[in-house]
Amino acid sequence: MTSADQYLAELGQQLRVDAVRATSTAGSGHATSSMSAADLMAVLLARHLRYDFDWPDHPGNDRLILSKGHASPLLYAAFKAAGAISDEELLTFRTLGSRLEGHPTPRLPWVDVATGSLGQGLPIGAGVALAGQRLQEAESRVWVLSGDSELAEGSVWEAFEHAGYERLSSLTAILDINRLGQRGPTRHEWDLDAYRRRIAAFDWHTIEVDGHDPAAIDAAYTEAAGVTDRPTAILARTMKGRGVAAVQDREGMHGKPVPDEAEAVEELGGPRDLRVEVRRPEATTVPRSPGGPQPELPRYAVGEKVATRNAYGEALAALGAARPEVVALDGEVSDSTRSEFFAKQHPDRFFECYIAEQELVATAVGMAVRGWLPFASTFAAFFTRAHDFLRMATVSRVGLCLAGSHAGVAIGEDGPSQMGLEDLAMFRALHDSTVLYPCDANQAAQLVAEMAEETSGLRYLRTSRGADPVIYPPEERFPVGGSKVLRSSPGDRLTVVAAGVTVHEALRAADELGEEGVPVRVVDLYSVKPVDAATLREAAEQTGCLLTVEDHRHAGGLGDAVLDAFTDGRPVPRLLRLAVDSLPGSAKPDEQLRAAGIDAGAIATAVRRHLAGHGA
Amino acid sequence: MTSADQYLAELGQQLRVDAVRATSTAGSGHATSSMSAADLMAVLLARHLRYDFDWPDHPGNDRLILSKGHASPLLYAAFKAAGAISDEELLTFRTLGSRLEGHPTPRLPWVDVATGSLGQGLPIGAGVALAGQRLQEAESRVWVLSGDSELAEGSVWEAFEHAGYERLSSLTAILDINRLGQRGPTRHEWDLDAYRRRIAAFDWHTIEVDGHDPAAIDAAYTEAAGVTDRPTAILARTMKGRGVAAVQDREGMHGKPVPDEAEAVEELGGPRDLRVEVRRPEATTVPRSPGGPQPELPRYAVGEKVATRNAYGEALAALGAARPEVVALDGEVSDSTRSEFFAKQHPDRFFECYIAEQELVATAVGMAVRGWLPFASTFAAFFTRAHDFLRMATVSRVGLCLAGSHAGVAIGEDGPSQMGLEDLAMFRALHDSTVLYPCDANQAAQLVAEMAEETSGLRYLRTSRGADPVIYPPEERFPVGGSKVLRSSPGDRLTVVAAGVTVHEALRAADELGEEGVPVRVVDLYSVKPVDAATLREAAEQTGCLLTVEDHRHAGGLGDAVLDAFTDGRPVPRLLRLAVDSLPGSAKPDEQLRAAGIDAGAIATAVRRHLAGHGA
């Protein structure tokens, strides 16, 4: 071993020692999963990573994603070796208030995305690399350190396909094949060729390597950097718990400290304090400055019949013209979601992700990491495919805009598989999310602009398939958190709260009831989260009863959103709700609304019954 | 062409004609997607499928899953050719009340699972085949007809991996590679070798074939049946809209009828009325009779500290001993979910699905299709990965039991990536779901037995990582839809509604408040869906205010479930809620509960503030 290799080996041991110390001090954490990848990390840090720890947002920085997030002690040990954190901070691992969480999150400035839900690092890394190569022509590389267990996740294979197809040569997947998952042996254990065959079939360059041989690792990283027409996967044969006999390659040692810290540290050669000077990026690219003029949004004439999905597409195209940081992505349904309008005007900023919704959202997250403002669209129903990626995006605190089309039973004949009926529940429950549901085209267009103005979190827009009449003039504004009172009189006997397609049904019902001498208020609750509690309270006080009606399941949608405005201990109005309880089949849109009991007739009936004292 | 092949070609044309007629009559539907696969279907129906249409539950029946569910007209045309439906019924396609929905569902007795969300057929087919080979040793084969666009879904690659690894030779994937997706060309168009390389790398046998050559298709099916050590994928080069020049291999023709029905029918050689005698299965296996004696559930002493996940595992093992139709599946975390207790006692009925939650749920669905009662477990947080599969399982109306462990912030140091904080919202919004959340070990064990007694739908059990004291005796019963009033007195000034870990916090708060002379009621709402509306109403009437407290996000969980009991237009009590609003980091369990504001102290403070007139 050369002295240079000896240094790398020493650094690897230091990372192991620090991972052992951090987990033992914490009394929990993944020591053995850190130890298997320590040499992979040491060589990367000392020889290949280009990163300015003083300037995490440097556009020329490489990106390092620890997909096997449970090996966070290794990452933190590396940060310490790079001088980014102190030994004192290292030992705050997993304690209340520490930035060093059990799984890495962007509370640390050098962590771009939260990991810990396995199989997400590579998909997101592909997005980061795609942004770098297609949008920025950056010199920087993307390194994803992944475990072997997580290669069972389909999302990883969406990423292999995506990155291979897009020839993302800046992307290197470092696969820590330590044979042991949480429960026991993985499917393929140390059959590196099983992985190699699969990954190579997806048009990646592959390299097999002894993951504890610094020189071999160094050569593999160099080889990867030299491949210019495809991404590279480095398959590293490693041992879990490497270096400590009590745990090395043994089952039942996952996710816990080593049994004897002092013995382990001694076995690893004792503490060291090597300090790595990580190479800084040479690129001097100036970061893009986001923002721009107000978009020239499309304008629709009142009375015109336009689907909100169309307005979404047209507004997004206009937004893209005004704001150069806007990118759009779609899951091979851009002709349905209408993101194709953006694609036609801005083909260089449109990304076809095919029918792979996890990769769709992951790519959007990756682009957000690079400073872009992504709008990702597919059917509302199919965002459920990406639920875990959306959940983790909230932990990553990235800004994402999402548009789900084909809301509810109103889509008609295609039937339940294509109906978004649980999407409001999913998005409302996510942390730091905004949920918008327009009922007309001008409103939809304005809300697209509002989404771009928000500064954080997930912003979800629910659009409809069918064309409904425009009811708002193009000048009307729709702030997030607001609502519109569409019918109101001093004698209102009840308030119907609706959104999207049910606004039109509510208006029809109100007209019908008005003719019967029963005035009712109608509120368009286009902002489902946050809700306009003040308007709802006022309506409740003045009319005594709120009836919510939504093209969504009972649980988690508009009805629950309205109720949430009344959980502050003050008196609550009487409440009624109409939502989709049945399992729809195929039928025309108006038949669907009727069958689900959320059309004008059902609303009018519910109002009459309530006022007659029959309850719902 | 032999006369036999001529017959097959004629049958293929008949299926095309009927698909054209059905879609044209409906005015919508996927004609061209049906036409590409018509020859594949014709040969399967006439020569290879073994199926008794008069006895869909025959245990010896082959299973046919139309993964490209939008090609439903082809399936219905095949049912007509087999004599299962009439031509009149065929032409009810997509109309209100028809069994022939836009995408197939089990409203038709010959459809086992609903499809239409792409990429689900093969994962479920793998589950059906696994049940057949590992549990029943059935002779029957599983045929999955899949599109090419859907091969971008990661779930499909989870299935290729699973089926290849398990050597499911009874499974044949028929891949209709027609080059065109909804929006335009697929990634690989007619590069059949791109698919072949990928699939072969997952240890499948592969066959490339001209998908419009009946003799070649016939030979491929025969070859597939002869492969005994691995599943087979037949890669069929086809043309979308095959046979009608106006649409054949043309973009923009997805998901709609042909432009001119009469012309198309003529071009296809006019209507035919060939009737296929589908071969019936020879097997005479008697179906298993489910049910059995009451399980001998584990019993825990009051005061003992036991995690509900442990009780889940032990109760499941006991249930497995009593009921031979119970199977268990896990996503490589059985040591955490405790399904390993079942695995140890019933290794022949335990299925390791590795870290692939979509395939985990799909396999469970496949086993349910064969009449087994599956219990699938992983972390609550990671069921979000399978959200779309769960959604579609409700459309399929299969019975599934699911257990999500590691609920909420109470898991402690591992941090937000591992915390189930949105699972109640997800499961509550699903159609025909039951959501249970026990707070002690005896309750958890009883609820496992209750889950097995339910006769339909998804049944979700939320379990906790940490050990809490047992508060119920082993004899106590916990019916679905019930609740337990744990503290009650005539002078109660408020009701705390809790479940799971917050029950223990609520009891502590009640004790503390009681000492201050403020009696409060405590309700253990272990059945989150359906909720015990009567008990909640009574508590509201008697105490005037309900305070919900939950280890879950505000939206969609316990608080919303409680509110749902008050949406019938009758007076509503005052409402308060405590839930997890923040983004947690790492900390000890009790620190997490305190930081999230859902511990005993937070409950007591909220009660005091409310009674002092400050609201929440």
Short mmCIF file of all heavy atoms in Angstrom, two decimals, chain B residues 4-43:
data_model
loop_
_atom_site.label_atom_id
_atom_site.label_comp_id
_atom_site.label_asym_id
_atom_site.label_seq_id
_atom_site.Cartn_x
_atom_site.Cartn_y
_atom_site.Cartn_z
N ALA B 4 -56.04 -23.54 -39.35
CA ALA B 4 -56.08 -23.24 -37.92
C ALA B 4 -55.58 -21.82 -37.66
O ALA B 4 -56.18 -21.06 -36.89
CB ALA B 4 -55.22 -24.25 -37.15
N ASP B 5 -54.50 -21.47 -38.32
CA ASP B 5 -53.98 -20.11 -38.15
C ASP B 5 -54.96 -19.10 -38.74
O ASP B 5 -55.12 -17.99 -38.21
CB ASP B 5 -52.62 -19.97 -38.82
CG ASP B 5 -51.57 -20.84 -38.13
OD1 ASP B 5 -51.81 -21.21 -36.96
OD2 ASP B 5 -50.55 -21.14 -38.76
N GLN B 6 -55.58 -19.49 -39.84
CA GLN B 6 -56.57 -18.61 -40.45
C GLN B 6 -57.71 -18.33 -39.46
O GLN B 6 -58.18 -17.20 -39.34
CB GLN B 6 -57.12 -19.26 -41.73
CG GLN B 6 -58.08 -18.38 -42.51
CD GLN B 6 -57.41 -17.09 -42.96
OE1 GLN B 6 -56.25 -17.09 -43.33
NE2 GLN B 6 -58.15 -15.99 -42.91
N TYR B 7 -58.10 -19.37 -38.74
CA TYR B 7 -59.16 -19.20 -37.74
C TYR B 7 -58.72 -18.20 -36.67
O TYR B 7 -59.48 -17.30 -36.28
CB TYR B 7 -59.48 -20.55 -37.11
CG TYR B 7 -60.36 -20.45 -35.88
CD1 TYR B 7 -61.73 -20.29 -35.99
CD2 TYR B 7 -59.79 -20.50 -34.61
CE1 TYR B 7 -62.53 -20.16 -34.86
CE2 TYR B 7 -60.58 -20.38 -33.46
CZ TYR B 7 -61.95 -20.21 -33.60
OH TYR B 7 -62.73 -20.10 -32.49
N LEU B 8 -57.49 -18.34 -36.22
CA LEU B 8 -56.99 -17.43 -35.19
C LEU B 8 -56.95 -16.00 -35.71
O LEU B 8 -57.29 -15.05 -35.00
CB LEU B 8 -55.60 -17.86 -34.73
CG LEU B 8 -55.53 -19.21 -33.99
CD1 LEU B 8 -54.09 -19.62 -33.74
CD2 LEU B 8 -56.31 -19.15 -32.68
N ALA B 9 -56.53 -15.86 -36.96
CA ALA B 9 -56.48 -14.52 -37.55
C ALA B 9 -57.88 -13.93 -37.64
O ALA B 9 -58.10 -12.74 -37.36
CB ALA B 9 -55.84 -14.58 -38.93
N GLU B 10 -58.83 -14.77 -38.01
CA GLU B 10 -60.22 -14.31 -38.08
C GLU B 10 -60.73 -13.91 -36.70
O GLU B 10 -61.42 -12.90 -36.55
CB GLU B 10 -61.11 -15.44 -38.63
CG GLU B 10 -60.94 -15.70 -40.10
CD GLU B 10 -61.50 -14.54 -40.93
OE1 GLU B 10 -62.58 -14.01 -40.59
OE2 GLU B 10 -60.83 -14.16 -41.92
N LEU B 11 -60.37 -14.70 -35.73
CA LEU B 11 -60.80 -14.39 -34.36
C LEU B 11 -60.21 -13.05 -33.91
O LEU B 11 -60.88 -12.22 -33.29
CB LEU B 11 -60.40 -15.52 -33.41
CG LEU B 11 -60.80 -15.35 -31.94
CD1 LEU B 11 -62.31 -15.22 -31.79
CD2 LEU B 11 -60.27 -16.52 -31.09
N GLY B 12 -58.94 -12.85 -34.25
CA GLY B 12 -58.31 -11.56 -33.92
C GLY B 12 -59.05 -10.40 -34.56
O GLY B 12 -59.30 -9.37 -33.91
N GLN B 13 -59.43 -10.59 -35.82
CA GLN B 13 -60.19 -9.53 -36.50
C GLN B 13 -61.55 -9.31 -35.83
O GLN B 13 -62.00 -8.18 -35.69
CB GLN B 13 -60.39 -9.87 -37.98
CG GLN B 13 -59.11 -9.84 -38.82
CD GLN B 13 -58.48 -8.47 -38.93
OE1 GLN B 13 -57.81 -8.01 -38.00
NE2 GLN B 13 -58.65 -7.80 -40.06
N GLN B 14 -62.15 -10.39 -35.41
CA GLN B 14 -63.45 -10.24 -34.70
C GLN B 14 -63.29 -9.42 -33.43
O GLN B 14 -64.11 -8.54 -33.13
CB GLN B 14 -64.02 -11.62 -34.37
CG GLN B 14 -65.25 -11.54 -33.44
CD GLN B 14 -65.89 -12.89 -33.20
OE1 GLN B 14 -66.00 -13.70 -34.13
NE2 GLN B 14 -66.29 -13.16 -31.97
N LEU B 15 -62.23 -9.70 -32.70
CA LEU B 15 -62.01 -8.94 -31.46
C LEU B 15 -61.80 -7.46 -31.79
O LEU B 15 -62.29 -6.57 -31.09
CB LEU B 15 -60.80 -9.49 -30.71
CG LEU B 15 -60.90 -10.96 -30.25
CD1 LEU B 15 -59.63 -11.38 -29.50
CD2 LEU B 15 -62.13 -11.20 -29.37
N ARG B 16 -61.08 -7.20 -32.89
CA ARG B 16 -60.89 -5.80 -33.30
C ARG B 16 -62.23 -5.15 -33.66
O ARG B 16 -62.52 -4.03 -33.25
CB ARG B 16 -59.96 -5.72 -34.51
CG ARG B 16 -58.52 -5.99 -34.19
CD ARG B 16 -57.58 -5.71 -35.36
NE ARG B 16 -56.22 -5.97 -34.92
CZ ARG B 16 -55.59 -7.13 -35.02
NH1 ARG B 16 -56.19 -8.16 -35.62
NH2 ARG B 16 -54.37 -7.28 -34.56
N VAL B 17 -62.99 -5.85 -34.46
CA VAL B 17 -64.29 -5.30 -34.88
C VAL B 17 -65.14 -4.99 -33.65
O VAL B 17 -65.73 -3.91 -33.55
CB VAL B 17 -65.01 -6.31 -35.81
CG1 VAL B 17 -66.48 -5.91 -35.99
CG2 VAL B 17 -64.31 -6.38 -37.16
N ASP B 18 -65.15 -5.93 -32.70
CA ASP B 18 -66.00 -5.70 -31.52
C ASP B 18 -65.47 -4.57 -30.65
O ASP B 18 -66.25 -3.83 -30.04
CB ASP B 18 -66.16 -7.00 -30.73
CG ASP B 18 -67.17 -7.95 -31.41
OD1 ASP B 18 -67.89 -7.47 -32.32
OD2 ASP B 18 -67.22 -9.14 -31.05
N ALA B 19 -64.15 -4.43 -30.60
CA ALA B 19 -63.58 -3.30 -29.84
C ALA B 19 -63.94 -1.98 -30.53
O ALA B 19 -64.26 -0.99 -29.86
CB ALA B 19 -62.06 -3.46 -29.73
N VAL B 20 -63.89 -1.98 -31.84
CA VAL B 20 -64.27 -0.78 -32.59
C VAL B 20 -65.75 -0.47 -32.36
O VAL B 20 -66.13 0.68 -32.09
CB VAL B 20 -63.99 -0.99 -34.10
CG1 VAL B 20 -64.74 0.03 -34.94
CG2 VAL B 20 -62.49 -0.92 -34.35
N ARG B 21 -66.58 -1.48 -32.44
CA ARG B 21 -68.02 -1.26 -32.26
C ARG B 21 -68.34 -0.76 -30.85
O ARG B 21 -69.13 0.16 -30.67
CB ARG B 21 -68.78 -2.56 -32.55
CG ARG B 21 -68.73 -2.97 -34.03
CD ARG B 21 -69.33 -4.36 -34.23
NE ARG B 21 -70.72 -4.41 -33.82
CZ ARG B 21 -71.24 -5.31 -32.97
NH1 ARG B 21 -70.45 -6.23 -32.42
NH2 ARG B 21 -72.51 -5.28 -32.67
N ALA B 22 -67.73 -1.39 -29.87
CA ALA B 22 -68.03 -1.01 -28.48
C ALA B 22 -67.62 0.44 -28.21
O ALA B 22 -68.37 1.21 -27.62
CB ALA B 22 -67.32 -1.96 -27.51
N THR B 23 -66.43 0.82 -28.66
CA THR B 23 -65.96 2.18 -28.40
C THR B 23 -66.76 3.19 -29.21
O THR B 23 -67.08 4.28 -28.72
CB THR B 23 -64.46 2.31 -28.70
OG1 THR B 23 -64.18 1.75 -29.99
CG2 THR B 23 -63.63 1.58 -27.66
N SER B 24 -67.09 2.86 -30.45
CA SER B 24 -67.85 3.80 -31.27
C SER B 24 -69.25 3.99 -30.70
O SER B 24 -69.77 5.11 -30.65
CB SER B 24 -67.92 3.33 -32.71
OG SER B 24 -66.64 3.43 -33.31
N THR B 25 -69.85 2.91 -30.24
CA THR B 25 -71.17 3.03 -29.64
C THR B 25 -71.12 3.87 -28.37
O THR B 25 -71.98 4.71 -28.12
CB THR B 25 -71.74 1.63 -29.33
OG1 THR B 25 -71.75 0.86 -30.54
CG2 THR B 25 -73.16 1.72 -28.77
N ALA B 26 -70.06 3.66 -27.58
CA ALA B 26 -69.92 4.42 -26.34
C ALA B 26 -69.55 5.87 -26.61
O ALA B 26 -69.81 6.75 -25.79
CB ALA B 26 -68.85 3.77 -25.45
N GLY B 27 -68.87 6.10 -27.73
CA GLY B 27 -68.38 7.45 -28.00
C GLY B 27 -67.09 7.77 -27.25
O GLY B 27 -66.63 8.91 -27.25
N SER B 28 -66.52 6.78 -26.60
CA SER B 28 -65.22 6.96 -25.95
C SER B 28 -64.62 5.58 -25.70
O SER B 28 -65.28 4.56 -25.89
CB SER B 28 -65.37 7.72 -24.62
OG SER B 28 -65.99 6.92 -23.64
N GLY B 29 -63.37 5.58 -25.28
CA GLY B 29 -62.72 4.31 -25.01
C GLY B 29 -61.52 4.09 -25.91
O GLY B 29 -61.28 4.86 -26.84
N HIS B 30 -60.79 3.04 -25.62
CA HIS B 30 -59.46 2.86 -26.21
C HIS B 30 -59.49 1.79 -27.31
O HIS B 30 -59.10 0.64 -27.09
CB HIS B 30 -58.46 2.50 -25.12
CG HIS B 30 -58.33 3.58 -24.08
ND1 HIS B 30 -59.31 3.84 -23.13
CD2 HIS B 30 -57.36 4.50 -23.86
CE1 HIS B 30 -58.93 4.85 -22.37
NE2 HIS B 30 -57.76 5.28 -22.78
N ALA B 31 -59.89 2.21 -28.48
CA ALA B 31 -59.98 1.28 -29.60
C ALA B 31 -58.59 0.82 -30.05
O ALA B 31 -58.34 -0.38 -30.18
CB ALA B 31 -60.72 1.94 -30.77
N THR B 32 -57.69 1.77 -30.27
CA THR B 32 -56.40 1.41 -30.88
C THR B 32 -55.55 0.55 -29.96
O THR B 32 -54.82 -0.33 -30.43
CB THR B 32 -55.63 2.68 -31.28
OG1 THR B 32 -55.44 3.51 -30.13
CG2 THR B 32 -56.40 3.47 -32.33
N SER B 33 -55.65 0.78 -28.65
CA SER B 33 -54.90 -0.03 -27.69
C SER B 33 -55.43 -1.46 -27.65
O SER B 33 -54.71 -2.38 -27.28
CB SER B 33 -54.98 0.59 -26.29
OG SER B 33 -54.49 1.91 -26.29
N SER B 34 -56.70 -1.61 -27.97
CA SER B 34 -57.28 -2.94 -28.05
C SER B 34 -56.81 -3.67 -29.31
O SER B 34 -56.53 -4.87 -29.28
CB SER B 34 -58.81 -2.85 -28.05
OG SER B 34 -59.29 -2.26 -26.86
N MET B 35 -56.74 -2.91 -30.38
CA MET B 35 -56.43 -3.54 -31.67
C MET B 35 -55.01 -4.07 -31.74
O MET B 35 -54.74 -5.07 -32.40
CB MET B 35 -56.71 -2.53 -32.79
CG MET B 35 -58.21 -2.24 -32.90
SD MET B 35 -58.54 -0.61 -33.61
CE MET B 35 -58.33 -0.98 -35.34
N SER B 36 -54.09 -3.43 -31.04
CA SER B 36 -52.70 -3.92 -31.10
C SER B 36 -52.57 -5.30 -30.48
O SER B 36 -51.75 -6.10 -30.90
CB SER B 36 -51.75 -2.93 -30.43
OG SER B 36 -52.02 -2.79 -29.05
N ALA B 37 -53.37 -5.56 -29.47
CA ALA B 37 -53.23 -6.82 -28.72
C ALA B 37 -54.25 -7.88 -29.11
O ALA B 37 -54.33 -8.93 -28.47
CB ALA B 37 -53.33 -6.54 -27.22
N ALA B 38 -55.00 -7.62 -30.17
CA ALA B 38 -56.11 -8.53 -30.50
C ALA B 38 -55.63 -9.92 -30.86
O ALA B 38 -56.25 -10.93 -30.47
CB ALA B 38 -56.95 -7.92 -31.62
N ASP B 39 -54.53 -10.01 -31.60
CA ASP B 39 -54.06 -11.34 -31.98
C ASP B 39 -53.48 -12.07 -30.77
O ASP B 39 -53.63 -13.30 -30.64
CB ASP B 39 -53.03 -11.22 -33.11
CG ASP B 39 -53.64 -10.55 -34.34
OD1 ASP B 39 -54.72 -11.00 -34.79
OD2 ASP B 39 -53.07 -9.56 -34.83
N LEU B 40 -52.82 -11.33 -29.92
CA LEU B 40 -52.29 -11.95 -28.69
C LEU B 40 -53.43 -12.53 -27.87
O LEU B 40 -53.32 -13.64 -27.32
CB LEU B 40 -51.53 -10.89 -27.87
CG LEU B 40 -50.27 -10.31 -28.53
CD1 LEU B 40 -49.81 -9.05 -27.80
CD2 LEU B 40 -49.15 -11.35 -28.57
N MET B 41 -54.51 -11.79 -27.80
CA MET B 41 -55.67 -12.25 -27.02
C MET B 41 -56.37 -13.43 -27.71
O MET B 41 -56.77 -14.40 -27.04
CB MET B 41 -56.66 -11.09 -26.84
CG MET B 41 -57.90 -11.42 -26.02
SD MET B 41 -57.54 -11.81 -24.30
CE MET B 41 -57.60 -10.15 -23.60
N ALA B 42 -56.49 -13.35 -29.03
CA ALA B 42 -57.20 -14.41 -29.77
C ALA B 42 -56.54 -15.76 -29.57
O ALA B 42 -57.19 -16.77 -29.28
CB ALA B 42 -57.28 -14.04 -31.25
N VAL B 43 -55.23 -15.77 -29.71
CA VAL B 43 -54.51 -17.04 -29.59
C VAL B 43 -54.57 -17.56 -28.16
O VAL B 43 -54.72 -18.76 -27.92
CB VAL B 43 -53.04 -16.87 -30.06
CG1 VAL B 43 -52.28 -18.19 -29.92
CG2 VAL B 43 -53.00 -16.38 -31.52
#
